[in-house]
Amino acid sequence: MVALRFLRALSLVRCSGPGARSPSYRARGIRRAAYACMAASAGPRRAWSRALLRKIRRRPGRGLRRPRAVIRRRRPVGGGDPLEVALRRLVPGGGCMEYCRLLEEAADYVKCLAMQVRLMQTIVDSASHVNSID
Amino acid sequence: MGGKHRRIGGEVGWRVGSSSFATAFRPFPSRSRFKMSSRRNRVSEEEINELISKLQSLLPETRRRGAGRASAAKLLKETCSYIRSLNREVDDLSDRLSGLMATLDSNSAEAEIIRSLLPS
């Protein structure tokens, strides 16, 4: 499922003007597509996927934001352990979670991220193999 | 009375002051919350250990630092560095993919394969 989503996203990046954009712009688009596909495939039941999709969809430079109706926990949790703080920064949405929840989300995030890396590695390998044949 | 000033996240009851009027209307009485949190602390040690061993099983072999249980701190450190390295790999693979896609001809077999995989 992740693979299909990602390939579809890749085809969209390619069709949007192959000559007009710089390679770094394309690379950023691919990176964003990779994270978006990963989060979309994980589904809304995971806090990290929701946070990641929110971050991706929130484009920088937009003016006003809608006022949030939901009361969200903004209290920074447990600032004591530097390792815990580092993990909270790395896992999307990890700032306001309980410790148990953070570990669960981190495990799921690592699993999905590793799968995404394997998928991209496979695509790159097959594409460079085809390129070397031609 | 110190418990009433304790902030407990985004739930409704935390803003209540120390008057008896407010106490009568507080939806979550503080005493049961303290009991719940101490019960939760006792149970959550096991949960935390279980989650940490689950994290250890997700790390690749080279990062697992041999057999047996490493300390929780080492595991967290390894997890953080593993996540960072995975993010770096995604960046690197995105760069390589954008370079490869630029060189792929639109009529190549690879493009055909990709097109055939996508549901039209």
Side-chain angles (χ1 to χ4, degrees):
Chain A
M1 206 51 213
V2 190
L4 276 179
R5 246 186 246 264
F6 187 56
L7 286 173
R8 191 182 296 145
L10 274 185
S11 72
L12 287 175
V13 172
R14 208 175 140 212
C15 292
S16 62
R21 302 290 189 187
S22 69
S24 60
Y25 184 90
R26 251 200 325 270
R28 275 205 305 275
I30 293 176
R31 197 173 75 105
R32 200 165 42 230
Y35 283 114
C37 295
M38 189 173 87
S41 302
R45 59 186 175 84
R46 283 289 173 193
W48 68 261
S49 60
R50 291 195 300 268
L52 199 47
L53 283 173
R54 259 199 308 269
K55 196 167 80 168
I56 289 172
R57 284 171 185 165
R58 193 193 310 156
R59 293 289 192 89
R62 288 268 170 96
L64 296 170
R65 284 191 195 162
R66 278 185 297 122
R68 301 261 173 203
V70 179
I71 301 170
R72 235 194 284 154
R73 273 176 72 160
R74 295 271 175 204
R75 180 170 64 103
V77 184
D81 186 12
L83 285 173
E84 188 185 322
V85 167
L87 190 61
R88 283 183 191 281
R89 277 208 202 106
L90 286 170
V91 174
C96 305
M97 284 177 201
E98 297 285 348
Y99 189 57
C100 279
R101 189 78 195 278
L102 174 68
L103 293 178
E104 261 187 62
E105 295 285 324
D108 197 62
Y109 182 58
V110 160
K111 201 170 64 171
C112 293
L113 200 47
M115 199 163 57
Q116 181 69 31
V117 163
R118 276 201 299 275
L119 167 67
M120 290 172 79
Q121 186 69 57
T122 309
I123 294 176
V124 163
D125 288 345
S126 61
S128 38
H129 180 64
V130 164
N131 264 355
S132 62
I133 286 176
D134 290 340
Chain B
M1 289 297 175
K4 289 185 193 153
H5 296 285
R6 192 173 141 174
R7 292 177 55 165
I8 306 173
E11 291 158 12
V12 182
W14 72 269
R15 251 185 281 202
V16 177
S18 54
S19 65
S20 55
F21 174 78
T23 308
F25 280 87
R26 198 180 321 144
F28 307 112
S30 61
R31 287 224 185 96
S32 66
R33 181 171 302 283
F34 286 135
K35 275 193 189 157
M36 271 164 59
S37 68
S38 64
R39 260 209 304 274
R40 212 179 285 147
N41 280 339
R42 264 184 267 134
V43 173
S44 66
E45 282 297 323
E46 302 162 13
E47 281 179 21
I48 288 178
N49 289 337
E50 205 181 299
L51 289 166
I52 287 185
S53 60
K54 189 171 149 192
L55 263 178
Q56 187 181 17
S57 67
L58 284 171
L59 293 179
E61 283 298 330
T62 50
R63 284 180 184 263
R64 253 183 241 180
R65 297 281 167 96
R69 269 182 55 84
S71 74
K74 282 211 176 70
L75 270 165
L76 279 185
K77 200 168 152 191
E78 284 300 326
T79 307
C80 288
S81 76
Y82 186 46
I83 293 179
R84 281 191 205 107
S85 77
L86 284 173
N87 284 334
R88 272 198 302 269
E89 278 195 53
V90 169
D91 289 347
D92 179 51
L93 287 167
S94 307
D95 287 335
R96 285 170 66 185
L97 255 180
S98 81
L100 280 170
M101 277 166 52
T103 58
L104 274 178
D105 195 24
S106 58
N107 294 327
S108 73
E110 174 74 13
E112 286 306 313
I113 290 169
I114 289 178
R115 271 191 218 116
S116 67
L117 281 172
L118 297 172
S120 51

